[in-house]
Amino acid sequence: MGFLSVLSCAHQWVSSRLQPGDFAIDATVGTGADTLFLAQQVGKRGQVIGFDIQNEALTLAQARIRKQEDGSKLGSISLMELSHDRMAEAVPEQWQGQVGAVMFNLGYLPAEGADASVITQTDSTIGALEAALGLLRPRGIITAVLYPGHEGGAQEADAVLAWCSALPVDQAQVVMYRQLQRSASPFLIGIEKK
């Protein structure tokens, strides 16, 4: 058996912390894979909010969710065409300090025909990470998959690493999952709130 992919590892970390009925956020909806995963994890009593600035991403996610055979077991899903750095103002007030997981899959929309020049931006990503940390409950988790191999990706990855490294240890624990031999390969950061 080989190592898990960064996406599978992120799912494993999140699934070990989410419970039925929890609140969860997909900060970068993309094609909806993490949105659907989160809705499965929180179950029919849970709630998921997903953010993306591209309407095309939300359309792809809605199509993926509709294809789910047993939609009655999914948590309620709200998709917002809004930057992830505005999540704190967009989620219901009762979510403050109660979110079990926030997932980020940074970079660009990995869909055929999508504009690969539309990428997550460093400033909004750092703002979104700060907002996500504030929304988490104790022992809640943020996962961020970073892609240093595309234009702009390395700068964003470096900024996220610097931000995470500066978090006080009494506020959060940060770990990284990365293939060391390939500097441009995707890698995962996990942030657990204390």
Side-chain angles (χ1 to χ4, degrees), residues 28-95:
T28 51
V29 169
T31 62
D34 289 339
T35 312
L36 179 58
F37 166 76
L38 290 168
Q40 291 165 333
Q41 296 304 302
V42 301
K44 61 184 177 183
R45 293 188 345 252
Q47 297 177 50
V48 176
I49 297 178
F51 296 90
D52 208 293
I53 61 168
Q54 296 181 81
N55 185 269
E56 179 183 1
L58 302 180
T59 301
L60 290 168
Q62 288 166 340
R64 180 185 296 259
I65 292 161
R66 276 194 302 273
K67 288 180 188 172
Q68 184 63 25
E69 288 179 16
D70 198 354
S72 66
K73 292 184 178 178
L74 298 179
S76 71
I77 301 169
S78 300
L79 298 177
M80 298 189 174
E81 190 174 343
L82 194 66
S83 176
H84 54 195
D85 66 346
R86 297 187 53 203
M87 73 173 74
E89 66 189 70
V91 300
E93 191 173 321
Q94 71 264 29
W95 286 44

Side-chain angles (χ1 to χ4, degrees), residues 57-146:
L58 302 180
T59 301
L60 290 168
Q62 288 166 340
R64 180 185 296 259
I65 292 161
R66 276 194 302 273
K67 288 180 188 172
Q68 184 63 25
E69 288 179 16
D70 198 354
S72 66
K73 292 184 178 178
L74 298 179
S76 71
I77 301 169
S78 300
L79 298 177
M80 298 189 174
E81 190 174 343
L82 194 66
S83 176
H84 54 195
D85 66 346
R86 297 187 53 203
M87 73 173 74
E89 66 189 70
V91 300
E93 191 173 321
Q94 71 264 29
W95 286 44
Q96 304 294 325
Q98 300 299 317
V99 173
V102 182
M103 298 187 78
F104 290 77
N105 198 343
L106 301 170
Y108 54 87
L109 180 61
E112 189 176 322
D115 184 353
S117 70
V118 178
I119 61 172
T120 51
Q121 300 295 313
T122 301
D123 290 345
S124 64
T125 295
I126 298 300
L129 287 165
E130 290 171 354
L133 192 58
L135 289 169
L136 284 185
R137 66 172 182 237
R139 296 200 31 80
I141 189 171
I142 296 168
T143 62
V145 177
L146 296 117

